[in-house]
Amino acid sequence: ASAMQDPGMAEGSFDLPVGSGLWGPDAWGLLAAEPHSGSTFDLVGCLGVAVTVILCLTVAVDRLPALRRLAEPVIAVGTMSLTLYVSHILVIVALPGKAVTPPQSASFGLLLCFVVGATLFAAIWSRFFHRGPLEYLLNTATKLASRVR
């Protein structure tokens, strides 16, 4: 039985089906720098681009007050990432029946509900508190742990 192949995959591409091995018997595939090949250089390049984008946006938000006001909901989400991550897992578990299995779990509507819900919760919560609930508990636990010797 042949593995399913992506119709957009070009001949000789490094994008192999899951479980097909690491580009043959040698490790030369790790040196490939094709776009999204999953190679070492591709991962380092993608990481470099991501760090550069985050750095540029951080500087822009710091220097432009109007941009900071626009970014406040996103900043609020970032201040409580642990809380929102755990919450979205709990919501997925609480969803009825097949809503948590593909393809229903990969629906745009569900994604939109998660994004809007998380952003609204974070924006409202951050008006009253500086940290999310789980971030507060984690901070309290680490303060207590710092006293133990």
Side-chain angles (χ1 to χ4, degrees), residues 3 10 23 27 54 90 112:
W23 306 307
I54 290 171
L90 294 175
L112 188 62

Side-chain angles (χ1 to χ4, degrees), residues 91-102 104-105 110:
V91 168
I92 287 173
V93 169
L95 287 173
K98 295 186 180 228
V100 294
T101 58
Q104 290 85 357
S105 64
L110 187 58

Side-chain angles (χ1 to χ4, degrees), residues 6-147:
D6 181 3
M9 188 166 37
E11 182 69 31
S13 173
F14 284 101
D15 294 332
L16 298 176
V18 175
S20 63
L22 181 63
W23 306 307
D26 58 21
W28 283 107
L30 293 173
L31 298 177
E34 290 182 355
H36 302 298
S37 62
S39 70
T40 305
F41 291 134
D42 177 44
L43 294 176
V44 170
C46 290
L47 181 62
V49 169
V51 168
T52 302
V53 168
I54 290 171
L55 176 68
C56 291
L57 289 174
T58 302
V59 169
V61 164
D62 190 42
R63 294 190 179 180
L64 302 170
L67 186 58
R68 182 170 183 84
R69 279 191 299 280
L70 285 174
E72 280 180 3
V74 177
I75 294 169
V77 168
T79 63
M80 58 186 76
S81 54
L82 177 63
T83 297
L84 295 175
Y85 179 72
V86 170
S87 299
H88 106 270
I89 296 296
L90 294 175
V91 168
I92 287 173
V93 169
L95 287 173
K98 295 186 180 228
V100 294
T101 58
Q104 290 85 357
S105 64
S107 73
F108 179 74
L110 187 58
L111 172 65
L112 188 62
C113 287
F114 279 136
V115 170
V116 170
T119 305
L120 282 173
F121 174 79
I124 292 168
W125 185 272
S126 68
R127 294 217 177 255
F128 303 103
F129 305 100
H130 293 288
R131 292 186 175 106
L134 292 181
E135 288 76 12
Y136 177 78
L137 289 173
L138 189 61
N139 183 49
T140 302
T142 56
K143 281 184 180 177
L144 292 173
S146 69
R147 295 181 188 170

